[in-house]
Amino acid sequence: MAFKERVFSGVQPTGNLHLGNYLGAIVKFVALQDTYDCIYCVVDMHAITVWQDPAELPKTTREVTAAFLACGIDPKKHIIFNQSQVSGHAELAWVFNCVARLGWLNRMTQFKEKAGKDRENASIGLYAYPSLMAADILLYRATHVPVGEDQKQHLELARDIAQKFNNDFAQSIHAHGFGDAFFPLPEPLIQGPATRVMSLRDGQKKMSKSDPSDYSRINLTDDADAIAQKIRKAKTDPEPLPSEEKGLETRPEADNLVGIFAALANKSRADVLKEFGGAQFSTFKASLVDLAVAKLGPIGADMKRLVQDPGYIDQVLADGSDRAHEIADKTMNAVKDIVGFVRKS
Ligand code: ATP
Ligand code: MG
């Protein structure tokens, strides 16, 4: 069965948005608007899988919304909203908790990393995170999901959940007039030179909002001085840059900076190395600072302007939630019928 093509993705309001979120996710969100109907969600319910200060959460939720707007997502043509305003996410997640298997969730590396050594003390929400993420996507029966490389495993799980739901309820799906499959198997869109931006301090660790060191990341709201300082201090090795991509294979920090340059300049790594092969890091970093400031400066400025008007941001989220609700309600009514829940019609 052919499903209507639709894009869904989300970003957690867990802190400062950084260059990894921008290059791995938000740049793609913006580009996809031309060809798809898109739904972009500030996933506040995912955020509370680890402790969030209730006084801060509204602020970070509005900041992520401001970032979406400042980067060029059109809230009229597409949908921008925050997850907790559409109850279907939690409802569908519960059904999926009963479809997904413990064995599947036990393999998730994000849980292992985030729970750390004290696993007994992690929230059940953190463990069930991928099931809620599957619900986010499938509540809109979305077919394409732009994400960074770190979310690949969760996307595969979402496909497994969709497939198992379609199989387990095949007869009921058919009986209710939905043909052979109710949910599409959503496809991850993970492309380009910066699908996994690494920490500026450690080329083995991904750049993250939750990293305690602010020098590990470039925030979208950093000013020119901060960007310059962080790039100048970024860890490198003593060799000049190679001329070929192969020369980056054993040099994670060099590979990361070249990947960032390529993504910001909309070029391939090979093109960047054609220009900078043989150059010292000091030269390369100076060019990277100029490029990063030129690209991120206007976004950061716009974000700062937008968050001054929380009334407007909240209006965008309310309007988006209303439109998301309409799609979500249709899916939830169908899911309830398929599963066999009695409801008023
Ligand atoms: P947290 O540390 O709280 O999980 P995060 O930085 O991982 O925060 P998320 O909100 O979990 O941010 O992810 C939002 C989007 O950004 C996802 O699509 C994710 O794959 C992408 N993303 C996150 N970090 C990176 C990164 N370092 N490089 C590329 N994409 C990334
Ligand atoms: Mg994350």
Side-chain angles (χ1 to χ4, degrees), residues 12 110 114 129 150-151 206 208-209:
Q12 300 188 78
Q110 177 175 289
K114 290 201 169 179
Y129 184 113
D150 63 311
Q151 292 303 319
K206 101 170 175 73
S208 228
K209 292 188 218 110

Side-chain angles (χ1 to χ4, degrees), residues 8 56 61 64 80 105 133 138 176 188 222 255 324 332:
F8 178 94
E56 288 296 312
T61 300
V64 174
I80 296 178
L105 285 158
M133 178 163 154
L138 293 169
H176 284 93
D222 281 345
D255 182 58
M332 273 326 290

Side-chain angles (χ1 to χ4, degrees), residues 8-18 20-27 29 39-48 57 60-65 67-68 71 73 80-84 129 133 136 145-148 151 209 220 317:
F8 178 94
S9 197
V11 175
Q12 300 188 78
T14 39
N16 278 327
L17 284 191
H18 53 75
N21 302 132
Y22 178 66
L23 295 176
I26 302 177
V27 165
F29 297 2
I39 303 179
Y40 296 126
C41 187
V42 186
V43 287
D44 47 9
M45 287 158 63
H46 281 282
I48 64 162
L57 190 56
T60 38
T61 300
R62 292 184 186 115
E63 255 169 30
V64 174
T65 312
F68 284 176
C71 291
I73 296 170
I80 296 178
F81 76 108
N82 60 313
Q83 189 182 23
S84 61
Y129 184 113
M133 178 163 154
D136 300 338
V145 186
V147 281
Q151 292 303 319
K209 292 188 218 110
L220 291 187
L317 293 173

Side-chain angles (χ1 to χ4, degrees), residues 182-199:
F182 182 70
F183 287 120
L185 305 187
E187 290 207 24
L189 300 175
I190 305 173
Q191 289 143 354
T195 56
R196 186 175 178 83
V197 176
M198 306 309 276
S199 155

